[in-house]
C-alpha cells in the first residue's frame, strides 16, 4: 500500500457511521456511536498495512529495531534451532500448572535468567499478560504501590486488580516528586512504617512514548533513605531496553550493574527480539508466586515450543554478539539525526516559535547512550499535518494520540532501526525541517495558504473518499 493509498484508507475510516445507522439494530448502532468518538479525534484504528512493508516508504515506526525480523537473521537461527529438535510438538498441551510444563521451556528460562543475572525466570505469552501477572500475584494485602505516572497501560490494568489498595503515582522521572510520594505512603501506612509490609515501586527503564531513561539509581538511594527498614522494592519494565541497552542488549539494569537491587524485571520479546512473549525475572519466590497466584498463568495455555524456540534463537544471537553492530548502529543513527536536525538553519526559529520540539535533544551530546525512541512535538493541531508531510515524503511515521498518551500531549514517535541508513535519517530530518519552514511562513502570513501543501493533498483525497 503506497503512502497516498494508506492515507486515503485511514481517512475513510475516520468518517462517522452512527448517524447513518438510524434503522440499524441498537447493539450495532451503540458500538458505532462509541467508535465515532474515536473518529471525531481522528484516532480510529484501522487494519492497514504500513507502506514500509511493501518497500514504498522508509520504516521509522516499527519495533523491529535490530532488524532481526526484516533481515531474516532470526528466521535462519530459528530454523536451525528447530532442526536441533526435530521431534518438537506444535502445542504446549495446557497451562504451566497442568500439562503445559516441559523441559525445554524450563531450560530456556534458566538460560534467560543467567543472561540477565537473575536467579529465576518465567516466560509468559505477552508483555501485557506478564505485567498483569506481576501486579495481581506479587502485592500482598497491606502492601502499597508507588508508580511513575507514565508506566504502561498493562501496568495500570494489573494494578487495578492488585491486592495493594494503596496506589500512588509520582510525576514522571521526577526524583523530588518520588521522594514526596514515597514519604507520604510511609507516613499514612502504619504497616509499611513498621516494616511488616512492602512498598512496590513501579518504573520503566526506557519510556516508550518519551524515549527518556529512568533515573533508577537516584530512586534507589531515595527509597533506602525514606524506607530504612528496607521494605521498598523495585519492579522495572525493561520492554524498550531489551536488546538495545546494556551488555549484549541485556537491559539498563545490567548496564548499571544493579541486578541485586531490583526485585522484579520484565523483558519483552516482541520488539527488538522480533519474537513474541515476555519473561519475568526475579527470585525463586517471585517465580513461585507468579505460578500460583497469577490468573494469566493459571488460566491460559503455556507458550508453545515454537514460540519458546524463537525466543531462544533471539537470545542465541544476543549472547553470541551477533547483534552488537546493530546496537551500535542505532546509537550512531540517532546521534546523526539529532546532529542533522538541530544544525538545520530552520531549527532554532522553529523551536522558539513552538512549531518543532524534540525534548530528548537537550544536551544529548553529554549522554552515555541514546535510546531508539525520538518523540517529535509540534502544536497539537499541527500533529497530523506533519504526519501527512512525512507520509507523502515516503517516510513511515505515525502520530501517537489519546488514549495512548494524555489528552493534549500527542506527538510523532520516531523509531530508529539498524537497517536505516544515514541517507534515510537525513531525509527524515530535512523533511521535518522542510515542513517546519512551511509552517513558519504560514504563521508569519507569508504563505499562499493557511494549510500546508501535504495537508491540502490529503484534504483533496478526503473529498474523493
Amino acid at each position: 500500500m503506497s503512502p497516498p493509498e494508506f492515507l486515503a484508507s485511514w481517512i475513510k475510516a475516520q468518517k462517522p457511521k452512527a448517524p447513518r445507522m438510524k434503522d440499524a439494530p441498537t447493539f450495532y448502532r451503540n458500538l458505532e456511536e462509541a467508535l465515532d468518538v474515536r473518529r471525531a479525534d481522528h484516532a480510529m484504528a484501522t487494519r492497514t498495512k504500513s507502506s514500509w512493508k511493501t518497500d514504498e516508504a522508509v520504516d521509522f515506526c516499527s519495533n523491529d529495531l535490530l532488524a532481526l525480523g526484516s533481515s531474516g537473521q532470526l528466521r535462519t537461527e530459528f530454523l536451525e534451532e528447530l532442526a536441533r529438535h526435530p521431534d518438537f510438538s506444535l502445542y504446549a498441551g495446557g497451562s504451566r500448572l497442568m500439562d503445559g510444563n516441559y523441559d525445554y521451556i524450563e531450560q530456556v528460562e534458566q538460560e534467560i535468567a543467567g543472561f540477565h543475572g537473575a536467579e529465576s525466570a518465567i516466560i509468559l505469552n505477552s508483555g501485557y499478560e506478564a505485567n498483569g501477572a506481576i501486579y495481581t500475584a506479587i502485592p500482598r494485602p497491606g502492601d502499597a504501590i508507588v508508580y511513575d505516572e507514565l508506566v504502561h497501560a498493562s501496568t495500570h490494568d494489573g494494578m487495578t486488580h492488585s491486592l495493594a489498595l494503596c496506589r500512588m503515582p509520582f510525576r514522571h522521572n521526577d526524583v523530588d516528586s518520588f521522594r514526596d510520594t514515597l514519604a507520604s505512603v510511609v507516613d499514612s501506612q502504619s504497616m509499611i512504617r513498621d516494616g511488616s509490609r512492602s512498598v512496590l515501586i513501579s518504573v520503566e527503564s526506557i519510556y516508550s512514548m518519551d524515549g527518556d531513561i529512568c533515573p533508577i539509581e537516584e530512586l534507589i538511594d531515595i527509597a533506602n533513605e525514606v524506607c530504612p527498614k528496607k521494605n521498598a522494592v523495585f519492579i522495572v519494565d525493561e520492554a524498550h531496553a531489551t536488546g538495545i541497552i546494556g551488555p549484549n542488549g541485556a537491559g539498563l539494569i545490567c548496564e548499571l550493574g544493579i541486578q541485586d537491587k531490583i526485585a522484579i524485571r520484565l523483558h519483552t520479546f516482541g520488539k527488538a527480539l522480533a519474537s513474541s512473549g515476555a519473561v519475568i525475572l526475579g527470585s525463586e519466590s517471585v517465580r513461585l508466586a507468579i505460578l500460583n497466584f497469577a490468573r494469566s498463568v493459571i488460566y491460559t495455555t503455556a507458550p508453545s515450543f515454537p514460540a519458546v524456540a524463537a525466543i531462544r534463537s533471539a537470545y542465541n544471537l544476543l549472547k553470541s554478539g551477533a547483534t552488537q553492530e546493530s546496537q551500535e548502529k542505532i546509537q550512531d543513527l540517532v546521534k546523526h539525526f539529532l546532529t542533522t536536525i538541530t544544525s538545520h538553519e530552520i531549527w532554532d526559529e522553529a523551536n522558539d516559535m513552538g512549531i518543532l520540539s524534540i525534548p530528548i535533544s537537550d544536551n544529548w551530546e553529554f549522554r552515555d547512550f541514546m535510546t531508539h525512541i525520538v518523540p517529535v512535538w509540534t502544536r497539537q493541531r499541527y500533529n497530523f499535518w506533519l504526519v501527512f508531510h512525512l507520509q507523502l515524503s515516503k517516510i513511515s511515521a505515525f502520530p501517537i494520540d489519546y488514549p495512548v498518551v494524555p489528552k493534549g500531549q500527542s506527538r510523532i514517535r520516531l523509531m530508529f532501526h539498524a537497517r536505516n541508513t544515514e541517507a534515510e535519517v537525513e531525509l527524515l530530518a530535512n523533511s521535518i525541517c522542510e515542513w517546519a519552514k512551511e509552517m513558519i511562513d504560514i504563521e508569519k502570513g507569508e504563505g499562499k495558504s493557511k494549510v500546508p501543501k501535504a495537508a491540502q493533498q490529503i484534504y483533496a483525497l478526503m473529498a474523493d473518499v
Side-chain angles (χ1 to χ4, degrees), residues 366-414:
F366 303 104
R367 297 179 191 167
D368 293 333
F369 51 82
M370 305 299 299
T371 71
H372 54 283
I373 303 168
V374 178
V376 176
W377 290 66
T378 183
R379 302 193 199 288
Q380 290 299 294
R381 65 183 185 277
Y382 292 173
N383 204 43
F384 283 100
W385 286 358
L386 177 52
V387 170
F388 295 159
H389 184 91
L390 293 175
Q391 288 281 347
L392 293 181
S393 299
K394 297 188 176 181
I395 294 169
S396 195
F398 293 96
I400 304 294
D401 296 297
Y402 176 83
V404 178
V405 294
K407 286 186 175 180
Q409 294 186 24
S410 299
R411 80 288 305 264
I412 296 167
R413 184 181 67 163
L414 302 175

Short mmCIF file of all heavy atoms in Angstrom, two decimals, residues 366-414:
data_model
loop_
_atom_site.label_atom_id
_atom_site.label_comp_id
_atom_site.label_asym_id
_atom_site.label_seq_id
_atom_site.Cartn_x
_atom_site.Cartn_y
_atom_site.Cartn_z
N PHE A 366 25.99 14.87 25.86
CA PHE A 366 26.64 14.51 27.11
C PHE A 366 26.11 13.20 27.70
O PHE A 366 26.49 12.82 28.81
CB PHE A 366 26.48 15.64 28.13
CG PHE A 366 27.01 16.97 27.63
CD1 PHE A 366 26.14 17.96 27.20
CD2 PHE A 366 28.37 17.21 27.57
CE1 PHE A 366 26.61 19.17 26.72
CE2 PHE A 366 28.86 18.42 27.11
CZ PHE A 366 27.98 19.40 26.68
N ARG A 367 25.26 12.52 26.98
CA ARG A 367 24.70 11.26 27.49
C ARG A 367 25.58 10.08 27.11
O ARG A 367 26.20 10.08 26.06
CB ARG A 367 23.29 11.05 26.94
CG ARG A 367 22.32 12.14 27.42
CD ARG A 367 20.95 11.95 26.85
NE ARG A 367 20.13 13.13 27.10
CZ ARG A 367 18.96 13.37 26.53
NH1 ARG A 367 18.48 12.49 25.67
NH2 ARG A 367 18.28 14.46 26.80
N ASP A 368 25.58 9.08 27.99
CA ASP A 368 26.39 7.89 27.74
C ASP A 368 25.84 7.08 26.58
O ASP A 368 26.60 6.45 25.84
CB ASP A 368 26.44 7.02 29.01
CG ASP A 368 27.20 7.68 30.14
OD1 ASP A 368 28.09 8.50 29.84
OD2 ASP A 368 26.89 7.39 31.31
N PHE A 369 24.53 7.07 26.43
CA PHE A 369 23.92 6.34 25.33
C PHE A 369 22.57 6.96 25.02
O PHE A 369 21.97 7.66 25.82
CB PHE A 369 23.75 4.85 25.65
CG PHE A 369 23.07 4.57 26.96
CD1 PHE A 369 21.69 4.59 27.06
CD2 PHE A 369 23.81 4.29 28.10
CE1 PHE A 369 21.06 4.34 28.27
CE2 PHE A 369 23.19 4.04 29.30
CZ PHE A 369 21.82 4.06 29.40
N MET A 370 22.10 6.71 23.80
CA MET A 370 20.81 7.21 23.34
C MET A 370 19.82 6.05 23.24
O MET A 370 20.22 4.89 23.11
CB MET A 370 20.95 7.87 21.96
CG MET A 370 21.99 8.97 21.89
SD MET A 370 21.64 10.35 23.00
CE MET A 370 20.05 10.90 22.35
N THR A 371 18.56 6.38 23.30
CA THR A 371 17.55 5.36 23.04
C THR A 371 17.11 5.46 21.58
O THR A 371 17.39 6.45 20.90
CB THR A 371 16.33 5.54 23.96
OG1 THR A 371 15.60 6.70 23.56
CG2 THR A 371 16.77 5.69 25.41
N HIS A 372 16.43 4.45 21.13
CA HIS A 372 15.98 4.38 19.75
C HIS A 372 14.68 5.16 19.53
O HIS A 372 14.21 5.27 18.41
CB HIS A 372 15.74 2.92 19.37
CG HIS A 372 14.82 2.23 20.34
ND1 HIS A 372 15.24 1.81 21.58
CD2 HIS A 372 13.50 1.92 20.26
CE1 HIS A 372 14.22 1.26 22.23
NE2 HIS A 372 13.16 1.32 21.45
N ILE A 373 14.08 5.67 20.60
CA ILE A 373 12.79 6.35 20.54
C ILE A 373 13.02 7.86 20.57
O ILE A 373 13.61 8.39 21.52
CB ILE A 373 11.89 5.95 21.72
CG1 ILE A 373 11.69 4.43 21.74
CG2 ILE A 373 10.56 6.68 21.66
CD1 ILE A 373 11.06 3.91 23.01
N VAL A 374 12.54 8.55 19.54
CA VAL A 374 12.69 10.01 19.47
C VAL A 374 11.32 10.62 19.22
O VAL A 374 10.79 10.54 18.11
CB VAL A 374 13.68 10.43 18.37
CG1 VAL A 374 13.78 11.96 18.30
CG2 VAL A 374 15.05 9.82 18.61
N PRO A 375 10.70 11.23 20.23
CA PRO A 375 9.41 11.87 20.03
C PRO A 375 9.57 13.27 19.46
O PRO A 375 10.45 14.04 19.89
CB PRO A 375 8.82 11.93 21.45
CG PRO A 375 10.01 11.97 22.35
CD PRO A 375 11.12 11.23 21.65
N VAL A 376 8.76 13.60 18.47
CA VAL A 376 8.76 14.92 17.86
C VAL A 376 7.44 15.60 18.20
O VAL A 376 6.36 15.07 17.91
CB VAL A 376 8.93 14.83 16.33
CG1 VAL A 376 8.85 16.22 15.70
CG2 VAL A 376 10.26 14.16 15.98
N TRP A 377 7.54 16.77 18.81
CA TRP A 377 6.36 17.51 19.23
C TRP A 377 6.16 18.72 18.32
O TRP A 377 7.11 19.33 17.85
CB TRP A 377 6.52 18.01 20.66
CG TRP A 377 6.48 16.94 21.70
CD1 TRP A 377 7.39 15.93 21.88
CD2 TRP A 377 5.49 16.76 22.72
NE1 TRP A 377 7.03 15.13 22.94
CE2 TRP A 377 5.87 15.63 23.49
CE3 TRP A 377 4.35 17.46 23.06
CZ2 TRP A 377 5.12 15.18 24.56
CZ3 TRP A 377 3.60 17.02 24.15
CH2 TRP A 377 3.99 15.89 24.88
N THR A 378 4.90 19.07 18.12
CA THR A 378 4.55 20.31 17.44
C THR A 378 3.26 20.81 18.09
O THR A 378 2.79 20.24 19.08
CB THR A 378 4.39 20.11 15.93
OG1 THR A 378 4.11 21.36 15.32
CG2 THR A 378 3.29 19.11 15.61
N ARG A 379 2.70 21.87 17.57
CA ARG A 379 1.40 22.30 18.08
C ARG A 379 0.40 21.16 17.85
O ARG A 379 0.44 20.49 16.83
CB ARG A 379 0.93 23.56 17.36
CG ARG A 379 1.87 24.75 17.47
CD ARG A 379 1.16 26.01 17.01
NE ARG A 379 2.09 27.08 16.67
CZ ARG A 379 2.80 27.79 17.56
NH1 ARG A 379 2.68 27.52 18.84
NH2 ARG A 379 3.61 28.75 17.15
N GLN A 380 -0.50 20.96 18.80
CA GLN A 380 -1.41 19.82 18.72
C GLN A 380 -2.20 19.82 17.42
O GLN A 380 -2.40 18.77 16.81
CB GLN A 380 -2.35 19.83 19.92
CG GLN A 380 -1.65 19.50 21.24
CD GLN A 380 -1.02 18.12 21.24
OE1 GLN A 380 -1.72 17.11 21.18
NE2 GLN A 380 0.30 18.05 21.30
N ARG A 381 -2.63 20.97 16.95
CA ARG A 381 -3.43 20.99 15.72
C ARG A 381 -2.58 20.77 14.47
O ARG A 381 -3.12 20.58 13.38
CB ARG A 381 -4.19 22.31 15.61
CG ARG A 381 -3.33 23.54 15.44
CD ARG A 381 -4.20 24.81 15.43
NE ARG A 381 -3.45 26.01 15.15
CZ ARG A 381 -2.77 26.70 16.05
NH1 ARG A 381 -2.74 26.27 17.31
NH2 ARG A 381 -2.13 27.81 15.72
N TYR A 382 -1.23 20.80 14.64
CA TYR A 382 -0.34 20.56 13.51
C TYR A 382 0.13 19.10 13.42
O TYR A 382 0.77 18.72 12.43
CB TYR A 382 0.91 21.43 13.64
CG TYR A 382 0.71 22.92 13.47
CD1 TYR A 382 1.75 23.80 13.72
CD2 TYR A 382 -0.51 23.45 13.06
CE1 TYR A 382 1.59 25.18 13.57
CE2 TYR A 382 -0.69 24.82 12.92
CZ TYR A 382 0.37 25.68 13.18
OH TYR A 382 0.21 27.03 13.03
N ASN A 383 -0.17 18.32 14.42
CA ASN A 383 0.41 16.98 14.51
C ASN A 383 0.14 16.14 13.27
O ASN A 383 1.05 15.53 12.70
CB ASN A 383 -0.11 16.27 15.76
CG ASN A 383 0.82 15.19 16.26
OD1 ASN A 383 2.03 15.38 16.32
ND2 ASN A 383 0.26 14.06 16.64
N PHE A 384 -1.12 16.13 12.83
CA PHE A 384 -1.47 15.34 11.66
C PHE A 384 -0.89 15.95 10.39
O PHE A 384 -0.55 15.24 9.44
CB PHE A 384 -2.99 15.18 11.54
CG PHE A 384 -3.56 14.16 12.49
CD1 PHE A 384 -4.17 14.55 13.66
CD2 PHE A 384 -3.45 12.81 12.22
CE1 PHE A 384 -4.69 13.61 14.55
CE2 PHE A 384 -3.96 11.86 13.09
CZ PHE A 384 -4.57 12.27 14.26
N TRP A 385 -0.77 17.25 10.35
CA TRP A 385 -0.18 17.89 9.17
C TRP A 385 1.26 17.43 8.95
O TRP A 385 1.68 17.18 7.82
CB TRP A 385 -0.23 19.41 9.32
CG TRP A 385 -1.60 19.98 9.13
CD1 TRP A 385 -2.74 19.28 8.82
CD2 TRP A 385 -1.99 21.34 9.25
NE1 TRP A 385 -3.81 20.13 8.73
CE2 TRP A 385 -3.38 21.41 8.99
CE3 TRP A 385 -1.31 22.52 9.54
CZ2 TRP A 385 -4.10 22.60 9.02
CZ3 TRP A 385 -2.02 23.72 9.57
CH2 TRP A 385 -3.40 23.76 9.31
N LEU A 386 1.99 17.29 10.06
CA LEU A 386 3.37 16.81 9.93
C LEU A 386 3.39 15.35 9.48
O LEU A 386 4.21 14.95 8.65
CB LEU A 386 4.13 16.98 11.25
CG LEU A 386 5.56 16.44 11.29
CD1 LEU A 386 6.40 16.97 10.14
CD2 LEU A 386 6.22 16.78 12.64
N VAL A 387 2.48 14.55 10.01
CA VAL A 387 2.39 13.14 9.59
C VAL A 387 2.08 13.06 8.10
O VAL A 387 2.68 12.26 7.37
CB VAL A 387 1.33 12.38 10.41
CG1 VAL A 387 1.06 11.01 9.79
CG2 VAL A 387 1.78 12.22 11.84
N PHE A 388 1.14 13.87 7.63
CA PHE A 388 0.81 13.88 6.21
C PHE A 388 2.06 14.18 5.37
O PHE A 388 2.33 13.54 4.35
CB PHE A 388 -0.26 14.92 5.91
CG PHE A 388 -1.60 14.65 6.53
CD1 PHE A 388 -2.51 15.68 6.71
CD2 PHE A 388 -1.96 13.37 6.95
CE1 PHE A 388 -3.75 15.44 7.28
CE2 PHE A 388 -3.19 13.12 7.53
CZ PHE A 388 -4.08 14.17 7.69
N HIS A 389 2.82 15.18 5.83
CA HIS A 389 4.02 15.58 5.09
C HIS A 389 5.04 14.43 5.04
O HIS A 389 5.61 14.14 3.99
CB HIS A 389 4.65 16.80 5.76
CG HIS A 389 5.83 17.35 5.03
ND1 HIS A 389 5.73 18.33 4.07
CD2 HIS A 389 7.17 17.04 5.10
CE1 HIS A 389 6.94 18.60 3.57
NE2 HIS A 389 7.81 17.83 4.20
N LEU A 390 5.23 13.75 6.17
CA LEU A 390 6.19 12.66 6.21
C LEU A 390 5.74 11.49 5.35
O LEU A 390 6.53 10.89 4.60
CB LEU A 390 6.42 12.21 7.65
CG LEU A 390 7.12 13.22 8.57
CD1 LEU A 390 7.17 12.68 10.00
CD2 LEU A 390 8.53 13.51 8.07
N GLN A 391 4.47 11.14 5.44
CA GLN A 391 3.96 10.01 4.66
C GLN A 391 4.11 10.28 3.16
O GLN A 391 4.51 9.40 2.40
CB GLN A 391 2.50 9.75 5.01
CG GLN A 391 2.28 9.15 6.39
CD GLN A 391 2.56 7.66 6.45
OE1 GLN A 391 2.70 6.99 5.42
NE2 GLN A 391 2.65 7.11 7.65
N LEU A 392 3.80 11.52 2.73
CA LEU A 392 3.93 11.83 1.32
C LEU A 392 5.39 11.98 0.90
O LEU A 392 5.69 11.95 -0.30
CB LEU A 392 3.16 13.12 1.00
CG LEU A 392 1.63 13.00 1.12
CD1 LEU A 392 0.97 14.30 0.76
CD2 LEU A 392 1.08 11.86 0.27
N SER A 393 6.28 12.11 1.87
CA SER A 393 7.72 12.10 1.59
C SER A 393 8.27 10.68 1.63
O SER A 393 9.49 10.48 1.61
CB SER A 393 8.46 12.97 2.62
OG SER A 393 8.03 14.31 2.57
N LYS A 394 7.35 9.70 1.72
CA LYS A 394 7.69 8.27 1.77
C LYS A 394 8.48 7.91 3.01
O LYS A 394 9.42 7.12 2.99
CB LYS A 394 8.44 7.85 0.49
CG LYS A 394 7.60 8.00 -0.77
CD LYS A 394 8.26 7.39 -1.98
CE LYS A 394 7.33 7.47 -3.19
NZ LYS A 394 7.93 6.86 -4.40
N ILE A 395 8.05 8.50 4.12
CA ILE A 395 8.59 8.18 5.44
C ILE A 395 7.45 7.64 6.29
O ILE A 395 6.44 8.32 6.49
CB ILE A 395 9.20 9.44 6.11
CG1 ILE A 395 10.43 9.90 5.32
CG2 ILE A 395 9.56 9.16 7.56
CD1 ILE A 395 10.94 11.25 5.72
N SER A 396 7.59 6.42 6.76
CA SER A 396 6.53 5.79 7.53
C SER A 396 6.70 6.16 9.00
O SER A 396 7.58 5.66 9.70
CB SER A 396 6.58 4.26 7.36
OG SER A 396 5.39 3.67 7.81
N ALA A 397 5.84 7.07 9.46
CA ALA A 397 5.83 7.51 10.85
C ALA A 397 4.39 7.82 11.23
O ALA A 397 3.58 8.18 10.36
CB ALA A 397 6.70 8.75 11.03
N PHE A 398 4.06 7.67 12.50
CA PHE A 398 2.67 7.78 12.92
C PHE A 398 2.52 8.71 14.12
O PHE A 398 3.42 8.82 14.94
CB PHE A 398 2.12 6.40 13.29
CG PHE A 398 2.01 5.47 12.12
CD1 PHE A 398 3.01 4.56 11.84
CD2 PHE A 398 0.91 5.53 11.28
CE1 PHE A 398 2.92 3.70 10.76
CE2 PHE A 398 0.81 4.67 10.19
CZ PHE A 398 1.81 3.76 9.93
N PRO A 399 1.33 9.31 14.23
CA PRO A 399 1.05 10.11 15.43
C PRO A 399 0.68 9.20 16.59
O PRO A 399 0.10 8.12 16.39
CB PRO A 399 -0.15 10.96 15.00
CG PRO A 399 -0.86 10.12 13.99
CD PRO A 399 0.22 9.34 13.27
N ILE A 400 1.03 9.61 17.77
CA ILE A 400 0.61 8.92 18.99
C ILE A 400 -0.39 9.82 19.69
O ILE A 400 -0.07 10.96 20.05
CB ILE A 400 1.81 8.63 19.92
CG1 ILE A 400 2.89 7.84 19.17
CG2 ILE A 400 1.34 7.89 21.17
CD1 ILE A 400 2.49 6.45 18.77
N ASP A 401 -1.59 9.33 19.88
CA ASP A 401 -2.67 10.16 20.40
C ASP A 401 -3.31 9.52 21.63
O ASP A 401 -3.03 8.37 21.99
CB ASP A 401 -3.75 10.35 19.32
CG ASP A 401 -3.24 11.12 18.12
OD1 ASP A 401 -2.88 12.29 18.29
OD2 ASP A 401 -3.19 10.53 17.01
N TYR A 402 -4.19 10.29 22.25
CA TYR A 402 -5.01 9.78 23.34
C TYR A 402 -5.82 8.57 22.83
O TYR A 402 -6.30 8.61 21.70
CB TYR A 402 -5.96 10.88 23.83
CG TYR A 402 -6.93 10.44 24.89
CD1 TYR A 402 -6.54 10.40 26.23
CD2 TYR A 402 -8.23 10.05 24.55
CE1 TYR A 402 -7.43 9.98 27.20
CE2 TYR A 402 -9.12 9.63 25.53
CZ TYR A 402 -8.71 9.60 26.85
OH TYR A 402 -9.58 9.19 27.81
N PRO A 403 -5.97 7.48 23.58
CA PRO A 403 -5.63 7.31 24.99
C PRO A 403 -4.23 6.76 25.26
O PRO A 403 -3.91 6.47 26.41
CB PRO A 403 -6.69 6.32 25.46
CG PRO A 403 -6.89 5.43 24.27
CD PRO A 403 -6.76 6.33 23.07
N VAL A 404 -3.41 6.58 24.21
CA VAL A 404 -2.06 6.06 24.44
C VAL A 404 -1.24 7.07 25.24
O VAL A 404 -0.43 6.70 26.09
CB VAL A 404 -1.37 5.73 23.10
CG1 VAL A 404 0.05 5.25 23.32
CG2 VAL A 404 -2.18 4.68 22.34
N VAL A 405 -1.43 8.35 24.94
CA VAL A 405 -0.82 9.43 25.72
C VAL A 405 -1.93 10.33 26.23
O VAL A 405 -3.05 10.30 25.72
CB VAL A 405 0.18 10.24 24.86
CG1 VAL A 405 1.38 9.39 24.47
CG2 VAL A 405 -0.50 10.81 23.62
N PRO A 406 -1.66 11.13 27.27
CA PRO A 406 -2.71 12.01 27.81
C PRO A 406 -3.21 12.99 26.75
O PRO A 406 -2.50 13.34 25.81
CB PRO A 406 -1.99 12.75 28.95
CG PRO A 406 -0.86 11.84 29.34
CD PRO A 406 -0.42 11.18 28.08
N LYS A 407 -4.45 13.44 26.92
CA LYS A 407 -5.02 14.41 26.01
C LYS A 407 -4.15 15.67 25.99
O LYS A 407 -3.69 16.14 27.02
CB LYS A 407 -6.45 14.76 26.41
CG LYS A 407 -7.46 13.67 26.09
CD LYS A 407 -8.88 14.11 26.37
CE LYS A 407 -9.87 13.03 25.94
NZ LYS A 407 -11.28 13.42 26.20
N GLY A 408 -3.96 16.22 24.79
CA GLY A 408 -3.15 17.41 24.65
C GLY A 408 -1.66 17.15 24.57
O GLY A 408 -0.86 18.07 24.51
N GLN A 409 -1.26 15.85 24.58
CA GLN A 409 0.16 15.51 24.52
C GLN A 409 0.48 14.63 23.32
O GLN A 409 1.41 13.82 23.35
CB GLN A 409 0.60 14.84 25.82
CG GLN A 409 0.53 15.75 27.03
CD GLN A 409 1.11 15.12 28.27
OE1 GLN A 409 1.94 14.22 28.21
NE2 GLN A 409 0.67 15.58 29.43
N SER A 410 -0.27 14.76 22.25
CA SER A 410 0.00 13.99 21.05
C SER A 410 1.38 14.34 20.51
O SER A 410 1.85 15.46 20.66
CB SER A 410 -1.05 14.29 19.97
OG SER A 410 -2.34 13.93 20.43
N ARG A 411 2.02 13.35 19.92
CA ARG A 411 3.33 13.57 19.31
C ARG A 411 3.55 12.52 18.22
O ARG A 411 2.75 11.59 18.09
CB ARG A 411 4.45 13.50 20.36
CG ARG A 411 4.94 12.14 20.82
CD ARG A 411 3.98 11.37 21.71
NE ARG A 411 3.56 12.11 22.88
CZ ARG A 411 4.15 11.96 24.08
NH1 ARG A 411 5.17 11.15 24.21
NH2 ARG A 411 3.68 12.60 25.12
N ILE A 412 4.61 12.71 17.45
CA ILE A 412 5.01 11.69 16.49
C ILE A 412 6.18 10.95 17.11
O ILE A 412 7.17 11.57 17.54
CB ILE A 412 5.41 12.32 15.15
CG1 ILE A 412 4.18 13.00 14.52
CG2 ILE A 412 5.97 11.28 14.20
CD1 ILE A 412 4.51 13.91 13.38
N ARG A 413 6.08 9.64 17.18
CA ARG A 413 7.16 8.85 17.77
C ARG A 413 7.98 8.21 16.66
O ARG A 413 7.49 7.37 15.92
CB ARG A 413 6.59 7.76 18.70
CG ARG A 413 7.68 6.99 19.42
CD ARG A 413 7.12 5.91 20.31
NE ARG A 413 6.47 4.84 19.55
CZ ARG A 413 6.19 3.65 20.06
NH1 ARG A 413 6.49 3.38 21.32
NH2 ARG A 413 5.58 2.73 19.33
N LEU A 414 9.23 8.62 16.57
CA LEU A 414 10.14 8.04 15.60
C LEU A 414 10.89 6.89 16.24
O LEU A 414 11.36 6.98 17.37
CB LEU A 414 11.14 9.10 15.11
CG LEU A 414 10.55 10.35 14.47
CD1 LEU A 414 11.66 11.34 14.15
CD2 LEU A 414 9.77 10.00 13.20
#
